[in-house]
Amino acid sequence: MAIPTTPLVRRILASDLEASDKEVDEAVMLPAKCYTSPEFFEFEKGALFKKEWVCLGRADEIPDAGDYFTATIADEPLLAVRGKDGQVRVMSSVCRHRAMVITDQIPKPREKWWDSRPAETSGNCGHAFRCPYHYWTYNLEGDLIGAPDMQRTKGFRREDNRLPNLRVEVWNNFIFANFDRDAAPLAPKLEAVDEMITNWNIADMVPGEAELLQDLPWNWKVMVENFVEFYHSDRLHHPICEFSRSNSYEWRDDFDPSGATVIGAGKTTHADFGFNPTFKALFPPIATLTEEERALAVFFLVPPTLAFGVNSDSAFYFLMNPTAVDRLDIKVAGLYPREYPEHPRFHHLEAVAALGIEYFNEQDFGAVSSIQRGLRSDFAPRGRLCWQEQPISHFNRWLIRRYSKALLD
Ligand code: FES
Ligand SMILES: [Fe+2]
C-alpha cells in the first residue's frame, strides 16, 4: 500500500537528508520538522510503524489459552492472544461488522470512558471474543464463529470476515508483530544482540512491576536518542552517573542500517554497578555473567518501539508507543532472574531500585521535554554530534533508509 506523503513531508525529505546519513564525525541531526510536524508523524506511521517489527509486550503476560492484552499502534487497535495451541497471535481488534473495537467494554453506569482515551485492556476471553455491539464472535485465531440473525443477508459468509492477523515473532519472550506481510524475518537480524546478551538468559527472566507513563510531551525519536547515547551521562546526570562515564562508550564499526538494532555499550568504572545513589546493584549479580559483563552497561534499540538495557543484576525495557508527533506513551519494566522474586525483600528492593532509576528519568525527561520545545523554534539547529553519540547517527541512518524506501514504495 502506498504511504501517503504531503508536499510538506516531501519537502522535509528533500532537505538534504544525506547530511545525516553519515558516520557520526561527519553527520548532522535530522531537520527539526521530523520531530515536530504532525504530517511527518503520519508519514512515519506508514514508513516505520506499519513496516517494521513492533514490540507489543511480553509473551509471559499471556501464559494461558485465551489470555490477551490490547495495544494500539499507529492508530491500529490490536490484540495479542494466546491460542489453544499455545501460539501467540496478534490481530486487528476492529470488528468486521461495523468496526467497534471488540475488546472495548460497555461502560458501567456513569463510567463515561469515552470522555478520556479508552484504556487498553487485558484478561482472559475464554474461547472467543464477542463484540459487545451485535455479538459477532471470533475465536482465538480470529475466525468469525458467530454472527446472529444474518441469514437474510445475501451472500454473507463468515469465512469472509476473519480478523486480519499480523505476522508474529516472539524473541526472548518479547512479542513482535509486523503489518507488512513481506517483511524479512526479525530473528536473524537480532543475532548480534543475542550473542551479546546471551549470558543474561533474557527469555527466562520474569518481569517486575511495570509502570505506564502516558502522554509524555515529546517526540518518540528524542526519547530514543536520549536512551542510547553516552554523551550526556557525565553532564546531565552529573553526579549521579559517576560509574558510567561518557568516554566509556565503545565505538562500533559493525552498524548495518538495514539491520534491526542500534547498540550503545560501555564499561562501567566498577562491577555490579546500580542506577541509584549508592552506585551499587541492589540484587546479587546474575550468576551466569562473566567478570567483564558485570562491568558492562548495554543499551540497545529494536526500533521503532523497543528500548532495552542490561545490568549486572537485572534487565529493563521501555516499550514506546507514540500517539502523536509530540505525545508518547512508555511502559517501563525491569526483568529479573526467575528466582529473585522469591527473595523475602524483593518488592522492597525493587521499589528502591525503581526510585534510583527515577532520578535518572527525571533528568532525562526534563531534558527531552525541553528539547521538544527547542525543536519547535525557527532557530532549531541541525546540530553536529560527539563521538559518544555514535548510536544517534546510527539511528538516523536506520531512519533515513526507511524514509527513503517509503518514498519509492
Ligand atoms: S460492530 Fe461488532 S457486532 Fe456489530
Ligand atoms: Fe540519561
Side-chain angles (χ1 to χ4, degrees):
M1 205 192 311
I3 295 161
T5 56
T6 62
L8 173 65
V9 168
R10 283 195 292 277
R11 243 188 350 264
I12 296 170
L13 293 171
S15 62
D16 193 15
L17 286 194
E18 292 93 76
S20 304
D21 195 10
K22 294 185 158 70
E23 190 42 275
V24 65
D25 48 0
E26 293 191 284
V28 298
M29 286 300 287
L30 292 171
K33 284 264 182 288
C34 296
Y35 303 85
T36 60
S37 154
E39 288 172 43
F40 197 79
F41 178 60
E42 288 304 311
F43 166 72
E44 281 187 329
K45 284 187 202 166
L48 306 175
F49 291 86
K50 290 197 173 168
K51 281 279 178 204
E52 298 300 315
W53 288 94
V54 288
C55 183
L56 302 183
R58 300 261 305 165
D60 51 21
E61 293 173 57
I62 46 174
D64 301 318
D67 286 350
Y68 77 96
F69 66 81
T70 67
T72 307
I73 303 281
D75 291 331
E76 291 290 351
L78 302 173
L79 62 87
V81 62
R82 176 86 61 178
K84 291 201 172 106
D85 55 0
Q87 291 294 311
V88 172
R89 293 184 178 79
V90 174
M91 58 191 84
S92 166
S93 55
V94 177
C95 184
R96 305 305 298 167
H97 177 220
R98 278 175 41 216
M100 181 163 176
V101 175
I102 59 173
T103 47
D104 281 349
Q105 307 296 317
I106 298 304
K108 299 188 185 79
R110 308 195 74 76
E111 182 201 45
K112 298 180 187 173
W113 57 243
W114 61 89
D115 283 352
S116 55
R117 196 152 56 106
E120 301 295 351
T121 57
S122 61
N124 186 289
C125 70
H127 71 282
F129 292 96
R130 189 176 72 180
C131 178
Y133 207 175
H134 313 94
Y135 285 10
W136 283 29
T137 304
Y138 305 87
N139 68 13
L140 305 183
E141 281 97 57
D143 301 314
L144 181 66
I145 55 171
D149 293 333
M150 291 293 287
Q151 300 83 339
R152 291 196 205 167
T153 304
K154 289 185 185 140
F156 175 78
R157 300 184 329 152
R158 285 186 195 166
E159 51 271 39
D160 297 336
N161 290 277
R162 186 165 197 265
L163 296 175
N165 273 235
L166 276 62
R167 283 181 57 201
V168 173
E169 282 193 37
V170 177
W171 174 79
N172 277 326
N173 238 325
F174 286 100
I175 302 169
F176 284 87
N178 202 317
F179 290 92
D180 182 1
R181 310 258 6 133
D182 302 323
L186 177 66
K189 295 185 174 189
L190 297 179
E191 275 167 11
V193 161
D194 260 331
E195 207 171 299
M196 198 168 183
I197 60 170
T198 183
N199 286 345
W200 273 265
N201 298 315
I202 302 294
D204 286 335
M205 284 181 142
V206 291
E209 192 80 34
E211 194 182 355
L212 186 62
L213 308 164
Q214 284 191 304
D215 292 328
L216 301 171
W218 50 83
N219 181 266
W220 69 279
K221 298 189 292 299
V222 181
M223 189 79 258
V224 163
E225 291 158 5
N226 172 267
F227 185 89
V228 82
E229 62 98 338
F230 275 52
Y231 193 29
H232 75 282
S233 320
D234 279 351
R235 288 91 190 189
L236 179 72
H237 294 313
H238 177 77
I240 63 170
C241 197
E242 298 290 286
F243 55 94
S244 178
R245 310 306 302 253
S246 294
N247 63 11
S248 72
Y249 171 70
E250 284 177 359
W251 184 264
R252 303 193 74 86
D253 287 317
D254 58 352
F255 176 68
D256 172 7
S258 66
T261 53
V262 172
I263 302 172
K267 286 193 182 58
T268 51
T269 54
H270 57 271
D272 307 335
F273 60 96
F275 287 94
N276 63 65
T278 71
F279 299 171
K280 295 196 190 89
L282 295 168
F283 294 100
I286 294 169
T288 44
L289 299 187
T290 63
E291 286 292 315
E292 210 173 290
E293 286 167 340
R294 284 167 54 179
L296 194 62
V298 182
F299 304 87
F300 68 87
L301 313 169
V302 185
T305 62
L306 181 66
F308 192 90
V310 292
N311 303 316
S312 61
D313 65 342
S314 58
F316 63 98
Y317 66 92
F318 279 23
L319 213 52
M320 291 174 293
N321 188 8
T323 55
V325 70
D326 57 358
R327 284 287 176 276
L328 177 65
D329 292 350
I330 310 182
K331 183 175 180 180
V332 187
L335 294 173
Y336 300 94
R338 194 160 284 280
E339 63 278 12
Y340 280 22
E342 280 144 39
H343 190 289
R345 282 173 290 132
F346 175 76
H347 293 293
H348 297 95
L349 287 169
E350 200 203 5
V352 177
L355 191 59
I357 289 167
E358 207 174 303
Y359 296 132
F360 287 83
N361 284 347
E362 280 168 4
Q363 296 180 328
D364 285 325
F365 289 7
V368 292
S369 133
S370 173
I371 285 172
Q372 190 68 28
R373 200 156 79 87
L375 287 169
R376 284 194 283 263
S377 159
D378 285 347
F379 300 108
R382 285 186 74 178
R384 297 299 305 270
L385 296 165
C386 169
W387 65 271
Q388 296 155 5
E389 292 169 299
Q390 191 196 29
I392 294 186
S393 67
H394 291 167
F395 177 54
N396 287 344
R397 289 169 62 197
W398 184 93
L399 288 167
I400 290 168
R401 175 170 272 247
R402 282 144 189 90
Y403 294 158
S404 315
K405 190 166 177 304
L407 269 186
L408 300 175
D409 274 358

